[in-house]
Amino acid sequence: MNIAYQFLDGRKGGQSFVSVAEFIMLQDREVPAIDDSAKVLSVEIDGEPYEFSGNVADLFFELNKK
């Protein structure tokens, strides 16, 4: 799983996770892997683009429902 994101101050970043489960686990910690307020620019799951619009917290809640 790959996520490209943009912080509120305009800086951009990206992060890779082994799986959706790893992303959920790391976001659920006291200090999340990616700031919850960062805007998601793109998401790729298992090599396929995943349609999503929102911030990292929204992505966490959407994927946690599955």
Side-chain angles (χ1 to χ4, degrees):
M1 173 179 190
N2 298 308
I3 303 172
Y5 51 87
Q6 183 173 10
F7 293 108
L8 297 176
D9 65 5
R11 292 179 298 128
K12 292 183 179 180
Q15 194 153 345
S16 296
F17 300 91
V18 173
S19 64
V20 171
E22 182 187 42
F23 166 72
I24 290 169
M25 176 192 67
L26 293 176
Q27 281 304 112
D28 204 25
R29 292 185 173 175
E30 187 173 333
V31 178
I34 306 170
D35 189 276
D36 285 335
S37 65
K39 178 183 176 187
V40 174
L41 302 176
S42 66
V43 180
E44 186 179 278
I45 298 175
D46 297 328
E48 297 293 323
Y50 182 79
E51 273 304 310
F52 179 79
S53 179
N55 64 25
V56 172
D58 297 331
L59 180 63
F60 169 81
F61 289 117
E62 180 172 314
L63 294 176
N64 203 28
K65 287 191 257 181
K66 295 185 176 200

